[in-house]
Amino acid sequence: GLPFALLPRCLFFILALDAALTMHRARKVQLVALLGFAIGMYAFSVEAHLDDPDYEALCDIGSSFSCTAVFRSPYAHVLSHWGLVPRGHALDLSLAVAGMLLYGAYFVAAGPLWSVMPARAAVFFTVASVGAVFSCYLLYVLKFILGDFCIVCTGFHCVNFSMFSLAVFEAREAWNPKAKAS
């Protein structure tokens, strides 16, 4: 399907970005985090208008290409969907809010904390791995359960896979100092 076909392109993009740019990796993390945060802000804006019958989101392209249909689904609030918190609870964050928190944390961590953070590579790799696995789960939900395509969600997934790629490069350098020279 279409969402799964975009994954190799997302990975290729970040690999090319990592190879082509001489920018420090922390700046790349911040750049990707800003992109994710911007996508999260747009998703949050769409969520804020879900009850407005006159609102038509730019990401609603057709009946099977609808971000609002995805944002209205129980999967948009995954903690209550999984039964971990009651629906409407303060911790029942939408995926947009959770994404903004995650990408905001990435941005801050890649700032002044980057050079002093203990076990930076391990923490970054772990968080980015969880994000990539969660994106795989959500891609499965989109394709096989909801039968929808969400361009906003695809943007989130590309950001998560890009962050994972950056974390792999960071871990490789931290855990194999010889890799830094290559």
Side-chain angles (χ1 to χ4, degrees):
L2 191 54
F4 294 106
L6 291 176
L7 294 180
R9 290 184 184 117
C10 293
L11 291 175
F12 175 77
F13 169 76
I14 196 59
L15 291 172
L17 181 68
D18 197 76
L21 295 177
T22 58
M23 176 186 331
H24 188 270
R25 188 163 296 116
R27 300 301 73 80
K28 293 175 192 177
V29 169
Q30 286 186 313
L31 185 65
V32 173
L34 279 176
L35 177 62
F37 194 86
I39 294 168
M41 286 178 27
Y42 176 73
F44 185 71
S45 169
V46 172
E47 287 175 351
H49 292 93
L50 285 177
D51 295 330
D52 181 353
D54 297 325
Y55 179 73
E56 187 175 329
L58 293 173
C59 55
D60 284 345
I61 300 166
S63 61
S64 62
F65 280 65
S66 172
C67 63
T68 56
V70 173
F71 295 161
R72 281 190 176 104
S73 80
Y75 293 95
H77 290 260
V78 73
L79 292 181
S80 64
H81 178 70
W82 289 345
L84 298 175
V85 298
R87 185 145 182 79
H89 188 274
L91 293 177
D92 187 23
L93 303 176
S94 70
L95 292 176
V97 171
M100 288 190 299
L101 290 172
L102 174 65
Y103 303 130
Y106 275 133
F107 185 85
V108 169
L113 300 176
W114 191 259
S115 60
V116 297
M117 187 185 313
R120 176 186 74 226
V123 170
F124 183 30
F125 183 77
T126 301
V127 172
S129 295
V130 169
V133 169
F134 189 62
S135 276
C136 289
Y137 163 74
L138 290 175
L139 282 166
Y140 172 84
V141 167
L142 272 174
K143 173 73 175 168
F144 298 107
I145 297 174
L146 299 177
D148 210 328
F149 176 78
C150 170
I151 192 70
V152 174
C153 305
T154 300
F156 277 134
H157 304 317
C158 286
V159 167
N160 286 341
F161 292 125
S162 296
M163 234 16 125
F164 176 71
S165 296
L166 289 168
V168 167
F169 286 116
E170 185 68 22
R172 188 183 76 187
E173 286 182 11
W175 300 332
N176 182 9
K178 291 178 187 175
K180 197 173 215 171
S182 59

